[in-house]
Amino acid sequence: MPFTAVFSLTYQPNDKSNQCLNVFTTEIFTPTSGEQDEETAMSTQYDEIIVGAGIAGIVAGLLHVRQGKKVALVDSAESAGGLMRTYITPEGKHFDYGTHLLSELGIADLDKLLFECVRNDSWHEFDYLKSGHFIHKTLCERSPVVDATILKEADYLRAMVELVEATANPRDGYDTLSQQLTKCFGDTLYQELLKPAVEKLFFASADDLATNSHLLYGLARVQGFSEQTTRILKQLPKLNDVLAFHSHKEGNGAIKRYYPKQGGIGQWVDHLLSQFCEHGGKLYLNCKITGMSVHEQKVTSLHTDAGELYCQKLTWTIAPFMLLQSTNLHALLPEFAANQLNFLDSWLVHLEVDRAPLTSLHYYNNFDPQYAHFRSTLYSNMQGETENGAHRVTVEAFSKHADTTQISATDILQELIDCGVFPQESQLTYHHVDRISRSFPVPTVAFRQQQQVQVNCIRENLKNVSLYGKARGDIFFMNDVILDIYQSLT
Ligand SMILES: Cc1cc2nc3c(=O)[nH]c(=O)nc-3n(C[C@H](O)[C@H](O)[C@H](O)COP(=O)(O)OP(=O)(O)OC[C@H]3O[C@@H](n4cnc5c(N)ncnc54)[C@H](O)[C@@H]3O)c2cc1C
């Protein structure tokens, strides 16, 4: 029978554990059956129950416990951290769930709470990340932003004239992404570079995608001019909105980025969770929610395989659809809005290669529709050393949830070789492929409407529930998720 592990006070990360970083000294909680006695009910009475122990749940938990509240953090997985975990192989190799470096938020109180634990000799501190991109068969090592200079001369000249002449507002006043990108960047850049990139990445037509969807892939701006010319043109607000700096070294402000010198990003999650437990928070892992009680439009308890957990308030960081189903509220919704939102599956292809990469980039985005992969993170370039002399890389790709085609590690290595990232003779010394179900949004116009209807339905009918996290569907980046929570709870 599966058990729920409950963590409180003792919280000892074990970096050598198999499969996952976040394994701790445990107090095993055996599921109870039947009536709970009064003492048990008291011990499972919380001010706040948070569902989902990804970064959204952890940050909400930290903010609540520091206000002195009694908090339970509940997750169905065996370890906490969600996409911020680190996968550890039985041999002790570390792989993250994508490119997940830490970046300060620029709010002193929040940065202290979250990053004090990484401001030490065990972590690298970066002023900027060496990021690049691949497009039109070319690896650009200077910037992650699409570079128009790779176009044929006639196309390039036309594209730059159109870009300079475009007078559109970059963010507002459009019905679809295709309309927005054409108006802001001109037809040539849209047709030649931006449309193929967004359609590759979202598996959807740009005519169906909602405005600003391209921001999820850092496609807010393009490059097109020399270093000096770009600086001059960016002084014009209209061009500043659509033109990126010539290099990833410029325009970074004073924000610091962090990555551990050894191991993976999951160590950060371990630090945050130990703070949470030290302040009295309780963590329920491997804990399945089987139902919930609602009284006078308030969720009063969660029914779980660890018993009934009572709450004053509920923080929900997983799919709103699941809350609608558990409370039968989905029956109130029109048919289209009662469905799960459309999220793609993410593939994480963890590779160890016997040769050093040919690039010094920390990561690059691949916008070229010829290749399945979207991004590669090169750990030895970030950490400055290898684990046992081999070079680890995590490659991300996407597929539709219903697609049964498998992505193979050997095909992905061949793509990296073809893109000039590893030498021809490279061989795999280790690989592991993970598929994360429904993890990347496809923000079509219909998705946005459906998401809004679901969120409104919950807000109107459940008065003690707060919705946060990526799964809510209207925010995606980790720091946006964190800021949203911080601004609501402080
Ligand atoms: C492939 C990929 C690449 C990304 N790259 C970047 C990037 O470069 N930069 C960036 O800022 N952001 C990136 N993100 C987004 C970033 O990962 C998220 O913003 C952040 O991790 C979201 O945290 P979360 O807590 O909302 O969700 P998650 O990390 O998904 O955590 C959700 C938690 O809920 C738990 N859970 C799920 N179902 C249940 C259930 N029924 N009951 C209980 N618990 C449940 C899960 O086990 C998990 O622990 C990326 C995301 C993906 C998918």
Side-chain angles (χ1 to χ4, degrees):
M1 176 195 260
F3 61 80
T4 300
V6 185
F7 305 94
S8 56
L9 262 180
T10 45
Y11 212 71
Q12 295 169 5
N14 176 357
D15 199 43
K16 296 278 176 270
S17 63
N18 283 356
Q19 305 304 326
C20 188
L21 190 69
N22 311 316
V23 174
F24 310 95
T25 310
T26 65
E27 173 195 321
I28 305 299
F29 191 96
T30 316
T32 53
S33 59
E35 292 283 300
Q36 294 189 346
D37 61 26
E38 206 173 313
E39 198 182 329
T40 314
M42 282 296 289
S43 71
T44 55
Q45 174 76 56
Y46 294 97
D47 298 321
E48 294 277 349
I49 294 183
I50 301 167
V51 175
I55 198 61
I58 294 171
V59 170
L62 278 173
L63 291 169
H64 282 309
V65 290
R66 86 170 181 177
Q67 291 168 357
K69 292 187 182 154
K70 189 174 172 197
V71 184
L73 184 52
V74 175
D75 202 294
S76 56
E78 283 174 8
S79 56
L83 290 158
M84 296 305 289
R85 283 173 293 160
T86 294
Y87 169 76
I88 307 181
T89 71
E91 301 80 21
K93 305 177 202 299
H94 296 75
F95 296 96
D96 297 333
Y97 283 61
T99 304
H100 279 126
L101 288 99
L102 305 181
S103 173
E104 289 177 349
L105 292 111
I107 299 175
D109 171 48
L110 186 56
D111 286 341
K112 185 165 187 292
L113 179 74
L114 301 182
F115 303 125
E116 188 86 324
C117 56
V118 301
R119 291 171 177 154
N120 59 53
D121 283 350
S122 303
W123 289 71
H124 285 294
E125 190 181 290
F126 301 103
D127 291 331
Y128 65 91
L129 299 176
K130 287 191 208 164
S131 45
H133 72 281
F134 190 93
I135 198 163
H136 275 221
K137 302 186 174 29
T138 311
L139 182 64
C140 166
E141 299 187 80
R142 218 181 47 238
S143 159
V145 178
V146 166
D147 184 0
T149 62
I150 49 115
L151 292 173
K152 288 186 196 129
E153 194 178 353
D155 290 339
Y156 166 72
L157 292 173
R158 190 171 57 253
M160 290 305 99
V161 170
E162 288 169 2
L163 182 71
V164 172
E165 283 180 347
T167 53
N169 177 323
R171 300 272 183 275
D172 304 313
Y174 308 101
D175 296 327
T176 62
L177 185 65
S178 54
Q179 208 184 67
Q180 179 182 25
L181 295 180
T182 315
K183 292 268 190 248
C184 295
F185 295 97
D187 198 49
T188 306
L189 282 179
Y190 172 65
Q191 293 293 345
E192 295 291 326
L193 299 177
L194 299 173
K195 182 174 191 279
V198 292
E199 293 190 344
K200 161 191 172 167
L201 299 168
F202 287 118
F203 292 76
S205 159
D207 294 334
D208 295 330
L209 287 163
T211 51
N212 298 325
S213 310
H214 62 306
L215 303 181
L216 264 57
Y217 288 108
L219 290 165
R221 294 179 168 87
V222 296
Q223 302 176 61
F225 301 97
S226 70
E227 196 171 345
Q228 193 55 23
T229 309
T230 303
R231 284 195 200 122
I232 294 166
L233 291 176
K234 276 180 77 64
Q235 288 174 20
L236 299 168
K238 183 174 77 87
L239 285 176
N240 185 36
D241 283 338
V242 288
L243 261 188
F245 279 115
H246 194 64
S247 153
H248 48 230
K249 294 183 187 165
E250 283 187 84
N252 292 295
I255 295 293
K256 299 283 181 215
R257 288 116 184 122
Y258 302 96
Y259 196 76
K261 289 183 179 170
Q262 291 181 335
I265 203 68
Q267 291 167 67
W268 179 57
V269 169
D270 293 335
H271 285 300
L272 299 183
L273 284 173
S274 34
Q275 278 182 55
F276 172 73
C277 287
E278 276 161 27
H279 284 85
K282 208 149 187 177
L283 176 61
Y284 291 77
L285 291 181
N286 206 6
C287 181
K288 309 281 181 292
I289 298 167
T290 51
M292 54 184 74
S293 300
V294 179
H295 182 64
E296 294 181 346
Q297 293 198 310
K298 288 185 176 168
V299 176
T300 52
S301 70
L302 296 189
H303 309 192
T304 77
D305 54 6
E308 193 163 3
L309 307 177
Y310 300 88
C311 62
Q312 296 293 325
K313 290 188 179 165
L314 178 68
T315 293
W316 193 261
T317 73
I318 64 174
F321 171 77
M322 290 179 172
L323 182 57
L324 289 166
Q325 271 200 326
S326 305
T327 51
N328 280 330
L329 282 173
H330 67 297
L332 299 178
L333 297 177
E335 198 182 337
F336 96 98
N339 296 327
Q340 288 238 41
L341 298 174
N342 183 12
F343 278 71
L344 297 173
D345 288 1
S346 311
W347 291 78
L348 297 168
V349 183
H350 304 306
L351 308 176
E352 191 187 63
V353 183
D354 64 346
R355 300 297 157 108
L358 297 169
T359 171
S360 64
L361 288 171
H362 295 150
Y363 76 90
Y364 69 89
N365 299 328
N366 191 330
F367 297 120
D368 197 322
Q370 243 195 299
Y371 299 94
H373 76 282
F374 149 63
R375 184 165 62 179
S376 303
T377 305
L378 299 139
Y379 298 101
S380 47
N381 290 347
M382 291 198 298
Q383 296 186 310
E385 58 184 71
T386 61
E387 282 175 357
N388 308 323
H391 296 265
R392 286 167 299 125
V393 47
T394 292
V395 183
E396 291 154 85
F398 301 107
S399 69
K400 288 186 174 175
H401 180 66
D403 189 345
T404 53
T405 318
Q406 299 295 311
I407 289 183
S408 90
T410 38
D411 288 351
I412 291 292
L413 176 63
Q414 192 55 52
E415 288 199 359
L416 300 189
I417 292 171
D418 293 346
C419 291
V421 177
F422 280 99
Q424 278 297 339
E425 62 279 15
S426 301
Q427 298 285 333
L428 291 178
T429 51
Y430 174 84
H431 66 269
H432 176 83
V433 181
D434 240 344
R435 180 175 189 163
I436 308 186
S437 180
R438 296 185 189 280
S439 42
F440 207 93
V442 185
T444 55
V445 176
F447 177 108
R448 290 268 175 256
Q449 289 167 350
Q450 192 185 2
Q451 182 264 343
Q452 204 52 57
V453 175
Q454 291 189 358
V455 167
N456 289 346
C457 179
I458 291 170
R459 288 186 176 147
E460 281 159 20
N461 292 288
L462 296 172
K463 300 297 182 199
N464 66 340
V465 174
S466 304
L467 299 173
Y468 297 117
K470 172 172 70 66
R472 195 176 71 197
D474 59 341
I475 38 178
F476 175 75
F477 291 110
M478 181 172 80
N479 279 7
D480 293 338
V481 164
I482 294 173
L483 265 183
D484 175 56
I485 296 167
Y486 183 76
Q487 282 160 356
S488 300
L489 299 186
T490 55

